[in-house]
Amino acid sequence: MVQTIKTYYRKEYFNFPVQELYLLATDNDVLGIFFNVESMDKYIQDNHNDTPNPGVNQVLKDLISELTSYFDGKLTSFTVPVALYGTPFRMSVYDTLRSHVQYGETISYQALAKTSGHPGAYRAVGTAMKLNPLPFIIPCHRVVHTDGSSGQYAGGSNLKKHLLSMELSHV
């Protein structure tokens, strides 16, 4: 479903310690954190009827502050307001991941499917992780294969391994 929201702000090329990120927000909520501009543009096209305005508002300033603290190992959960869109299945998986898997912990795709009330839907959980517009806030990097291997990640498998290692070193 396409939503019309009057004002977006986008901050391109914000250099975090691990890589550049593209940030998208309204005046009230964070809409997305993207690893490339193409992913952000596709998200906007698929979900919103508006063109982002360049610039940084207070929501993005707060997000940048929290991301910086997270990458410095000083923040273990995010408090910035978010607006999340998706199917009821994806929303239940995101809610379960955010509420049940803490900083420095991991969960398998299979266990996340079961915990979110969808046993056997582990491939669909993988798809939900791939479509997650709020990595870090909805910590899809904490979802791994049953054998403990890291699996894929929108930001690349090396970044996923780095994030898991970083979190473990600060627990």
Side-chain angles (χ1 to χ4, degrees), residues 13 33 43 103 110 113 117 126 131 163:
Y13 306 115
I33 301 169
Y43 173 84
Y103 186 90
Q110 186 175 17
L131 297 173
L163 294 171

Side-chain angles (χ1 to χ4, degrees), residues 85-104:
Y85 305 97
T87 65
F89 171 82
R90 283 177 38 203
M91 299 303 284
S92 73
V93 170
Y94 296 153
D95 288 343
T96 301
L97 176 59
R98 198 167 182 197
S99 63
H100 286 78
V101 184
Q102 303 306 308
Y103 186 90

Side-chain angles (χ1 to χ4, degrees), residues 2 6 17 31-32 48 70 72 83 93-96 101 110 117 120 132 134 149 169:
V2 175
K6 296 290 181 196
L31 297 174
H48 302 286
Y70 169 77
D72 287 344
V93 170
Y94 296 153
D95 288 343
T96 301
V101 184
Q110 186 175 17
N132 175 13
L134 295 165
S149 60
S169 71

Side-chain angles (χ1 to χ4, degrees), residues 14-76:
F14 188 84
N15 285 305
F16 284 98
V18 291
Q19 75 180 68
E20 296 172 344
L21 298 174
Y22 297 79
L23 310 176
L24 184 66
T26 67
D27 284 332
N28 301 312
D29 301 296
V30 176
L31 297 174
I33 301 169
F34 304 94
F35 297 107
N36 58 64
V37 72
E38 295 82 13
S39 295
M40 181 173 65
D41 288 343
K42 180 166 178 19
Y43 173 84
I44 293 166
Q45 178 184 353
D46 291 349
N47 295 286
H48 302 286
N49 268 341
D50 206 349
T51 301
N53 297 312
V56 178
N57 63 2
Q58 189 59 50
V59 173
L60 285 177
K61 287 177 185 176
D62 293 344
L63 175 61
I64 290 166
S65 175
E66 287 196 8
L67 284 168
T68 301
S69 293
Y70 169 77
F71 289 123
D72 287 344
K74 298 175 183 171
L75 182 78
T76 60

